[in-house]
Amino acid sequence: MAQEIDLSGDGGVLKTVLQQAKSGALVPSEELPVVDLQYEGVLAETGQVFDSTREDNTIFTFELGTGSVIKAWEIAVKTMKVGEVSRVTCKPEYAYGKSGSPPDIPEDATLVFEMELLGCKPRKGSTLDSMATEKAKLEELRKQREEVAAKKEEEKKKREEAKATAAARIQAKLEAKKGGGKGGGKSKGHK
């Protein structure tokens, strides 16, 4: 059986990994705070489902650190990797507290969520988006520089070949003159 991990240190948020993520999977972070997940929430006392994205196959998206979800989710999702499925048990003080969330969640309710982290990404317009764009531009510039350098190298080779060919022609003419000059002198003498 999978090990239960006390994420809050006081038993308020307990996590059990049901399915491990693949090696190298992304983890939510300050650079990747927007998360997509599917979940099913049940009341620990009765096992009654009070909310689920699985029934209609929807994806729930939120940004970590904004207070838009219960405290237990903030704590638990930060520890998950994309592709991981976990069961998270939340004591009332990490969920909806003494007041609950009527009519579905009674007061002082302990909740159990089965959650699957589907993805994490940067917030819209973040510096990470800008960095990705900048990185793409730099990569394009690098490719252009490599192409220019390759063309210059090709031109250099052609110039060197042309110089070598010209030098060989000059050398051949000089050899012909040397040889032709001696031979020409003897020919003139014979006529």
Side-chain angles (χ1 to χ4, degrees):
M1 189 173 161
Q3 181 182 356
E4 192 172 67
I5 305 161
D6 184 350
L7 298 178
S8 59
D10 62 1
V13 182
L14 303 173
K15 176 179 129 177
T16 304
V17 177
L18 304 176
Q19 177 184 307
Q20 294 284 340
K22 291 182 180 175
S23 177
L26 289 175
V27 178
S29 64
E30 285 186 32
E31 293 80 25
L32 302 170
V34 179
V35 296
D36 295 329
L37 50 90
Q38 282 195 319
Y39 68 90
E40 181 172 85
V42 300
L43 301 172
E45 192 174 311
T46 64
Q48 177 186 345
V49 175
F50 62 84
D51 194 12
S52 177
T53 60
R54 292 197 177 131
E55 288 176 8
D56 56 3
N57 198 31
T58 57
I59 295 173
F60 181 70
T61 301
F62 71 96
E63 183 175 341
L64 288 166
T66 62
S68 61
V69 294
I70 60 174
K71 197 172 176 183
W73 277 33
E74 289 280 349
I75 293 168
V77 173
K78 287 178 185 176
T79 69
M80 295 177 72
K81 294 179 180 180
V82 173
E84 177 182 317
V85 178
S86 288
R87 183 183 320 108
V88 179
T89 303
C90 321
K91 296 289 184 194
E93 55 272 23
Y94 289 93
Y96 294 97
K98 293 186 183 299
S99 58
S101 183
D104 299 321
I105 301 170
E107 55 191 47
D108 275 327
T110 295
L111 309 177
V112 180
F113 292 94
E114 186 172 304
M115 309 166 79
E116 179 178 5
L117 183 60
L118 302 172
C120 53
K121 55 194 174 224
R123 69 183 59 82
K124 279 194 171 181
S126 75
T127 55
L128 195 62
D129 285 341
S130 304
M131 285 173 51
T133 302
E134 192 63 27
K135 189 175 180 180
K137 286 179 185 176
L138 289 172
E139 182 64 22
E140 184 62 32
L141 284 173
R142 184 188 64 77
K143 285 180 183 177
Q144 289 174 356
R145 277 191 227 119
E146 285 176 359
E147 288 172 7
V148 168
K151 285 180 185 176
K152 284 183 178 179
E153 188 63 32
E154 187 65 33
E155 289 171 3
K156 184 179 174 183
K157 282 182 184 178
K158 286 180 181 177
R159 282 193 305 270
E160 287 173 1
E161 288 172 3
K163 283 181 186 177
T165 303
R169 270 188 269 151
I170 292 170
Q171 188 65 35
K173 283 183 182 179
L174 288 174
E175 293 293 324
K177 266 189 175 179
K178 280 184 183 177
K182 290 179 187 174
K186 292 179 185 175
S187 301
K188 287 180 184 173
H190 290 279
K191 285 186 182 176

